[in-house]
Amino acid sequence: MIKIIAGNKGSGKTKRLIDMTNETAKTSAGNVVFLDKDNSYMYEIDRAVRFVNVNDYHVNSAEMFLGFLGGMLASNYDISTIFIDAFLKLIRVDVTAADWFFTSLEQYGQKHDVTFVLSVSADPETLPDFAKGYVI
């Protein structure tokens, strides 16, 4: 399953994502992961959550990011939710051209019973049709 928190810069997406992460950590039977482009929110995330600075792993394309996620899921069968802040900065693809990426995420989610919650810096009204159904 994929969920998108969409909004323009400064609209509170990251705060909402952090709150959801910390709440999920309290109730989830599985492992919770928070992915970001840097360490700026590391101390706001519950210590039970696995915080990962993706840039520490030299991920520099959408394909590499998808492989990175696949590696995480292959090595840990207990991941239930992956929260991803600054999603578009991490995949480095315009959201209008990312339908293939969302298809792959959906497949990962179904195969591994994982929910992906993404922070997307875009007006929800301007998202492409394939992404609008994921907005929460």
Side-chain angles (χ1 to χ4, degrees):
M1 174 188 294
I2 301 171
K3 297 178 182 180
I4 295 176
I5 299 171
N8 294 316
K9 185 174 181 167
S11 64
K13 296 177 306 300
T14 299
K15 170 76 170 116
R16 187 172 167 203
L17 189 72
I18 289 170
D19 290 346
M20 286 178 69
T21 302
N22 292 335
E23 198 56 40
T24 301
K26 293 176 188 174
T27 60
S28 178
N31 294 331
V32 179
V33 178
F34 188 94
L35 304 178
D36 205 352
K37 66 184 181 340
D38 58 30
N39 291 327
S40 58
Y41 299 111
M42 181 168 45
Y43 298 109
E44 295 182 45
I45 301 297
D46 187 295
R47 63 186 184 93
V49 175
R50 173 70 170 132
F51 183 94
V52 179
N53 177 347
V54 176
N55 286 330
D56 284 347
Y57 299 93
H58 308 287
V59 175
N60 56 25
S61 71
E63 293 83 1
M64 286 179 75
F65 187 64
L66 197 58
F68 182 79
L69 290 172
M72 288 178 65
L73 295 171
S75 66
N76 185 344
Y77 295 106
D78 294 329
I79 295 175
S80 62
T81 311
I82 298 177
F83 292 89
I84 306 172
D85 193 27
F87 175 70
L88 294 178
K89 289 182 181 178
L90 290 173
I91 67 166
R92 301 173 189 210
V93 173
D94 186 86
V95 70
T96 59
D99 57 339
W100 66 271
F101 193 93
F102 280 84
T103 299
S104 296
L105 270 189
E106 195 66 54
Q107 291 170 350
Y108 275 169
Q110 290 172 2
K111 182 174 183 175
H112 299 284
D113 195 24
V114 175
T115 299
F116 296 94
V117 184
L118 319 173
S119 163
V120 176
S121 287
D123 183 340
E125 297 299 318
T126 64
L127 289 175
D129 289 338
F130 70 83
K132 285 184 179 178
Y134 299 125
V135 176
I136 55 172

